[in-house]
Structures are given as structure tokens and as C-alpha cells.
Amino acid sequence: MFVQTLHPEIMARRFLWRLGAEVEVGEAPFELLNTTRYLTSPVVRVQATGETIRRRLADPDCPLDFPFLAEMREETVTDYLMMPLRFTNGEIHSASFTTREPGGFTAGQIAAIEAIGPPLARVAEVRGLRRTAINLLNAYVGRDAGERILAGRIRRGDTETIRAVIWLSDMPASPSARIPCRRRR
């Protein structure tokens, strides 16, 4: 899954699951937006058009219109499907699926993947909104506090003892920085 974020330093998060492995969560910086790899990826087309993209990579005549599909073919992927995840606010994110099975996905498997699209979009949207809320709260109330607030562990009137230093200083202006005043006559 590729879900864009509302964060000043992170453009999107990627959730990658491979058979027999844990889910990997990666963060994409805004610099990715200007790279050829991103601009020629199916993600851009799906988010712009809302269309589903399927490429049967086992078929020798399959168009490799996205450069990354050649990499998928090298990894013995036989079928590739990317579908839009439509959020309730109109944003379009994406989820992709691959198989190495000879012949690719069956019609039933495609139907099952498409059926999970709307509930998967809701889960991704809720998790994205929660992450955004935590980021905003952390920006205004301090690191880690946002998550504690959303978890209900901080209530109005609660206090917590912390070790902190408050440093105040007054630096006198240098003589050359003074602005001369003119006297009125």
C-alpha cells in the first residue's frame, strides 16, 4: 500500500508485505516526488486517474509501460495488479498485489482482491488520520504526548513531573547596532 501523509517531512508511507515476512513500513520524503522512478510509477497514474492497472507479466506481449515492471518480471512475478484506495474525502491512494503463480491471478482471486478494496481503504484512512492526529498533537504538546492523549491516558488537570531546564538570557545590543535618534528642534 502507498498512502500519502499530511506531514511536513514525509510525503507518503509504504506498507510492504511479502510471504513469510513481517510488514515493512517505509517513509518516502518529498524529494521522491521529483524522481524518475516515482514519476514513471503506476502509483502516479492510479492516484491521478483512479483506474486499476493490471499487467500479466508472464505474457511475453505484456507491455512494460512502467519501468519497475521489468524488475517485477525479474523477480518472477507473473501478474501485477494496482488498484485505487478511495478515501472518504476524495483522495486516491493505492494498493498493489503480485503473484508468482503460473498463469497469474484467477478471475476469482481478482474479484476477491477488488472486494477488499473499500474496507482496506477505510482501514488505511482511519490509520492515516490517527497518525496525522498524533503528529499534530506532538507538534503542539510535545513528543509522545499526542499518542498518550489519543489513548486517553492524559486528561484535563492531569500533571506529570518532568526534568527540564528553562534558560532565559538578555543579550545587550552591540554599540554598532544602536540606531541614532535625531532630536527635534
Side-chain angles (χ1 to χ4, degrees):
M1 287 182 20
F2 190 82
V3 179
Q4 291 183 327
T5 65
L6 180 60
H7 191 282
E9 297 169 340
I10 302 167
M11 184 266 295
R13 285 194 174 82
R14 178 185 78 167
F15 302 85
L16 177 65
W17 175 77
R18 294 178 190 261
L19 188 61
E22 295 290 321
V23 174
E24 296 174 30
V25 179
E27 296 177 342
F30 281 96
E31 292 78 27
L32 180 70
L33 288 172
N34 299 318
T35 64
T36 301
R37 182 165 179 85
Y38 176 75
L39 294 171
T40 60
S41 73
V43 169
V44 174
R45 185 180 302 168
V46 169
Q47 290 179 338
T49 66
E51 72 182 46
T52 296
I53 296 172
R54 183 175 183 198
R55 298 294 182 267
R56 296 178 183 201
L57 299 173
D59 180 354
D61 296 328
C62 174
L64 298 179
D65 47 348
F66 301 101
F68 121 98
L69 292 175
E71 295 172 28
M72 292 286 97
R73 190 179 264 173
E74 287 175 14
E75 291 183 26
T76 67
V77 169
T78 57
D79 208 343
Y80 174 84
L81 176 75
M82 179 173 272
M83 65 182 193
L85 295 178
R86 299 175 191 279
F87 283 17
T88 57
N89 65 357
E91 292 176 359
I92 299 175
H93 304 269
S94 58
S96 62
F97 303 85
T98 62
T99 185
R100 291 187 172 101
E101 289 296 314
F105 293 117
T106 66
Q109 289 169 330
I110 293 291
I113 291 170
E114 289 174 343
I116 67 166
L120 183 58
R122 290 300 77 72
V123 170
E125 184 172 16
V126 167
R127 290 184 61 95
L129 288 171
R130 181 174 179 76
R131 174 57 44 203
T132 297
I134 290 168
N135 290 340
L136 289 170
L137 285 168
N138 284 346
Y140 288 101
V141 296
R143 194 183 81 207
D144 300 325
E147 198 160 342
R148 291 194 332 250
I149 290 169
L150 287 176
R153 295 192 310 257
I154 295 178
R155 302 238 187 261
R156 183 177 178 175
D158 285 354
T159 62
E160 179 179 319
T161 302
I162 62 170
R163 292 184 52 143
V165 174
I166 299 174
W167 179 0
L168 299 173
S169 64
D170 186 10
M171 306 275 298
S174 68
S176 62
R178 293 187 182 145
I179 301 171
C181 296
R182 289 188 180 181
R183 291 187 184 181
R184 289 190 169 172
R185 292 182 192 207

